[in-house]
Amino acid sequence: MQIFKLVTILLLCFLCQTTYSQNNTKSQNYTYKEGDYSGIGKWYMDREIAYVMGYQGIGWLERPEREAEENTIKLIKNLDIQPTDVIADIGAGSGYHVFKMAYIAKKGKVYAVDIQQEMLDAITIENKKQQLKNIVLVKGSEKNTSLPENKIDKILMVDVYHEFSFPIEMLVSMKKALKKDGKIYLIEYRGEDDNVPMKRLHKMTEKQAIKEFEASGFKLLKNISNLPWQHCMVFIKS
């Protein structure tokens, strides 16, 4: 079953692929060269960037076994959401976490950010049933979250950062959007653990995450290690 899921993810990623030069070239921040078939041929700080999962993968995002595999109830508790929090879910997908957070931050706001309009449309359709007034849809880009500056208390990224084509630019955008004491909750499958049944490029180690975030002016506050397969790394501004 897990093998089937991994094959499905890779096929969906290729549906949303971007073409990059396969020559061994290097820009100021990124390197382009041949790599893993599930990567885009673009590297940042010795990490190859993975393909983005297309909107065709909504069924996988909403799979019934996700709670058992990821313990999303515990993940949401890790965020310590307050009723007035302003939260951004970057790479919100179909809104799996958005709706859970919006019910808690009932006096605040949850920005659902995604670069695929089809994902935002799926949230709109679901919210016609749930009728939550504190969800704001945001069409981001590969380089910009399109969030308002200095307004966000908490940013959540669940298994999406490793797919950013421009991680430097995205972290700059997030840093601007965060309040002075704002936090980023980076959720990634543990790259250190071979037992986590995900492809290598769809996992990250704590060491790699720290290296990339420190380069963009963040520091690791803590890594909450209570999830079955994922890191829950909390970053703040340096």
Side-chain angles (χ1 to χ4, degrees), residues 82-100:
Q82 302 303 306
T84 58
D85 274 349
V86 178
I87 308 167
D89 185 349
I90 300 179
S94 57
Y96 187 85
H97 299 93
V98 169
F99 290 103
K100 293 176 172 62

Side-chain angles (χ1 to χ4, degrees), residues 70-135:
E70 299 182 6
N71 201 335
T72 55
I73 292 175
K74 188 169 287 185
L75 166 58
I76 297 299
K77 287 182 178 179
N78 286 348
L79 271 65
D80 189 28
I81 298 172
Q82 302 303 306
T84 58
D85 274 349
V86 178
I87 308 167
D89 185 349
I90 300 179
S94 57
Y96 187 85
H97 299 93
V98 169
F99 290 103
K100 293 176 172 62
M101 296 189 294
Y103 275 106
I104 303 171
K106 50 191 173 183
K107 294 182 181 180
K109 192 176 294 184
V110 177
Y111 289 93
V113 184
D114 209 281
I115 65 173
Q116 299 180 71
Q117 185 61 46
E118 294 86 352
M119 293 293 198
L120 300 178
D121 291 344
I123 296 176
T124 298
I125 292 170
E126 177 60 27
N127 205 24
K128 287 180 179 179
K129 304 175 189 176
Q130 304 207 27
Q131 296 186 339
L132 295 171
K133 305 298 184 182
N134 60 338
I135 295 176

Side-chain angles (χ1 to χ4, degrees), residues 5 8-9 12-13 52-70 72 89-98 100 113-114 116 118-120 122-123 158-160 162-163 189 198 202 230:
K5 290 178 185 176
T8 301
I9 293 170
L12 292 168
C13 289
V52 173
M53 188 180 76
Y55 67 90
Q56 298 87 349
I58 285 178
W60 187 80
L61 295 176
E62 297 290 338
R63 66 194 186 279
E65 61 268 31
R66 185 171 184 177
E67 174 58 41
E69 293 174 350
E70 299 182 6
T72 55
D89 185 349
I90 300 179
S94 57
Y96 187 85
H97 299 93
V98 169
K100 293 176 172 62
V113 184
D114 209 281
Q116 299 180 71
E118 294 86 352
M119 293 293 198
L120 300 178
I123 296 176
V158 180
D159 305 322
V160 67
H162 65 273
E163 297 178 349
Y189 288 105
M198 297 297 292
H202 289 273
Q230 296 154 304

Side-chain angles (χ1 to χ4, degrees), residues 205-223:
T205 65
E206 178 184 294
K207 181 179 179 181
Q208 182 69 30
I210 290 174
K211 180 168 67 170
E212 296 185 25
F213 273 67
E214 284 186 346
S216 291
F218 292 93
K219 64 179 180 180
L220 182 69
L221 179 64
K222 57 184 173 180
N223 188 350

